[in-house]
Structure formats: C-alpha cells, structure tokens
Amino acid sequence: QKEVEQNSGPLSVPEGAIASLNCTYSDRGSQSFFWYRQYSGKSPELIMFIYSNGDKEDGRFTAQLNKASQYVSLLIRDSQPSDSATYLCAVRGRWGGKLIFGQGTELSVKP
Amino acid sequence: EAGVTQSPTHLIKTRGQQATLRCSPISGHTSVYWYQQALGLGLQFLLWYDEGEERNRGNFPPRFSGRQFPNYSSELNVNALELEDSALYLCASSLPTGDSEQYFGPGTRLTVT
C-alpha cells in the first residue's frame, strides 16, 4: 500500500464546474496535509494546507480533512482553463519535516 | 518578498561525474528540504537541513549528500552520477519549526548522459 494515494486521472471537467480531487494516506499519525499545483515543466506551488478535521476555504479552493477515514480532498469551484495542471497531495508524518507526496492527479478544464 | 532560488536551472553531466546544486531559502526560513522528481516516480524526499544540521534523510544512496551554510543556503552534491539520476531536483524552505508549510524553488533539471 502506498503511503499517499491519488487517482492519476486525467480528470476532465467543463469550465465553471466543481473539480473534486481526492487523496488517502496510510499513516494514522500524520499531522499536516498540503495541496500543491504543478504546471507542466514548472515546480509545485502550494495552494492549500489543512491541519484540523473539517473544511478550510480560500477563495475558489476548499480543502477537506477527515482523519478518521484518513482522507483529504480539494474542491475547486468555478473551474477555469487556467486550473488545468497536476495537483499533488502531500502529507507530513508524525515526526515532522519531510513531506510524502502522492503521484498527482492531472486536471483538465475544458472551455 | 523573494522566493526560493535555485541554481543552475539546467545541468548536463556525464555518467561518473559529480554535480553540485545550490539553493537559497526564503528570508527568515531556516529549514531547507531537497526532493527529486524523476519521470514516473513522483516527488521523493532526499534531505532535510535545519540550523546547519542534517535532520532527516530519504531512501537514497550515500552518494547523495549536502550541507547547509550559516546563511541557511544549501548545496546538494551527487557523486558518481548514474543515468537514473536524471531528474528535476527541487529545493523547498520553511520556517524553523519543521511543522510549517514548505515553498518550492523553480528546480534544477539534471541530465546525465
């Protein structure tokens, strides 16, 4: 079992729709959860982080964390073609420091 | 505020040579992390430095090494390069706690021929 798992996609949504990206993790002691966006040929850009159970909203982005189910998700409302990228879920374990990344989900937003 | 900077942008080396990659963190950040992003393998943790000390190391051979300088900048050295070392090497920095968010630099693309 991989430590952090994501559907590789591609996930295709029409412009204006809600994109839902999902991530599960294996270490129940994990403390912090991050979503990065990576455009092709570029480095990852931090877009959301969440440390407590529940929802956290920032503009069009909502991160949701359920530690009991070991599940974290990212919702993108009113998706735009510029949101087309690979979204990386990252988890920091109980010992701090390093991030463990999923393989990423490729999102394509069609005009 | 300036972000994380890395140099060089691209590096081409021959198998068996050594490569040196450099990273300057965001001002005020004392922790520096190195990751490797190889095609098909995703982002893999390499090394974590904080206050000049190596705090953690990923599952990589000893020919991957590095250091952190008093100004918190960092260097990654890869000795005896192998073809499979070809990858994007990413540096990230964070505040001192080790629990805070990590911000990535633009990366160094290493090609080993």
Side-chain angles (χ1 to χ4, degrees):
Chain A
Q1 180 189 11
K2 291 182 181 177
E3 292 181 271
V4 180
E5 293 204 58
Q6 297 179 251
N7 292 328
S8 60
L11 173 65
S12 184
V13 300
E15 184 175 355
I18 295 175
S20 178
L21 303 160
N22 304 315
C23 174
T24 59
Y25 58 95
S26 61
D27 183 1
R28 190 169 288 277
S30 297
Q31 298 294 324
S32 316
F33 307 86
F34 306 85
W35 285 99
Y36 288 85
R37 177 175 62 197
Q38 188 172 26
Y39 293 111
S40 180
K42 301 294 185 181
S43 64
E45 174 192 6
L46 179 65
I47 55 172
M48 288 291 287
F49 55 92
I50 186 166
Y51 298 154
S52 304
N53 271 332
D55 294 0
K56 179 182 178 182
E57 187 174 316
D58 183 2
R60 295 187 296 113
F61 299 100
T62 299
Q64 299 175 315
L65 174 62
N66 184 328
K67 288 188 177 181
S69 300
Q70 295 174 242
Y71 176 92
V72 58
S73 66
L74 179 70
L75 301 177
I76 306 174
R77 289 182 299 281
D78 187 23
S79 295
Q80 301 297 309
S82 58
D83 295 326
S84 298
T86 296
Y87 288 80
L88 299 167
C89 173
V91 174
R92 178 184 285 124
R94 65 186 73 195
W95 311 116
K98 71 175 185 181
L99 297 180
I100 302 167
F101 284 83
Q103 288 292 98
T105 298
E106 183 184 348
L107 173 65
S108 178
V109 182
K110 303 295 186 185
Chain B
E1 180 181 297
V4 178
T5 60
Q6 292 187 245
S7 64
T9 303
H10 295 93
L11 192 56
I12 299 175
K13 293 286 187 178
T14 304
R15 190 172 56 183
Q17 287 186 318
Q18 179 195 34
T20 299
L21 290 64
R22 296 179 176 85
C23 170
S24 291
I26 292 169
S27 178
H29 287 190
T30 64
S31 280
V32 170
Y33 308 81
W34 287 95
Y35 294 86
Q36 181 197 66
Q37 189 172 34
L39 205 59
L41 293 179
L43 263 156
Q44 305 286 326
F45 167 74
L46 266 167
L47 290 158
W48 170 26
Y49 292 96
D50 184 63
E51 297 288 353
E53 301 281 333
E54 183 181 301
R55 300 297 186 188
N56 199 356
R57 181 182 183 84
N59 189 23
F60 282 85
R63 56 192 187 83
F64 287 84
S65 65
R67 54 180 171 166
Q68 187 177 33
F69 300 99
N71 66 353
Y72 304 114
S73 67
S74 178
E75 194 173 88
L76 174 68
N77 294 294
V78 188
N79 293 320
L81 285 164
E82 299 181 2
L83 295 178
E84 54 264 34
D85 297 333
S86 294
L88 180 66
Y89 288 84
L90 292 158
C91 172
S93 74
S94 76
L95 289 170
T97 63
D99 293 332
S100 58
E101 305 82 59
Q102 296 180 19
Y103 297 88
F104 283 90
T108 293
R109 174 73 61 185
L110 173 64
T111 302
V112 182
T113 61

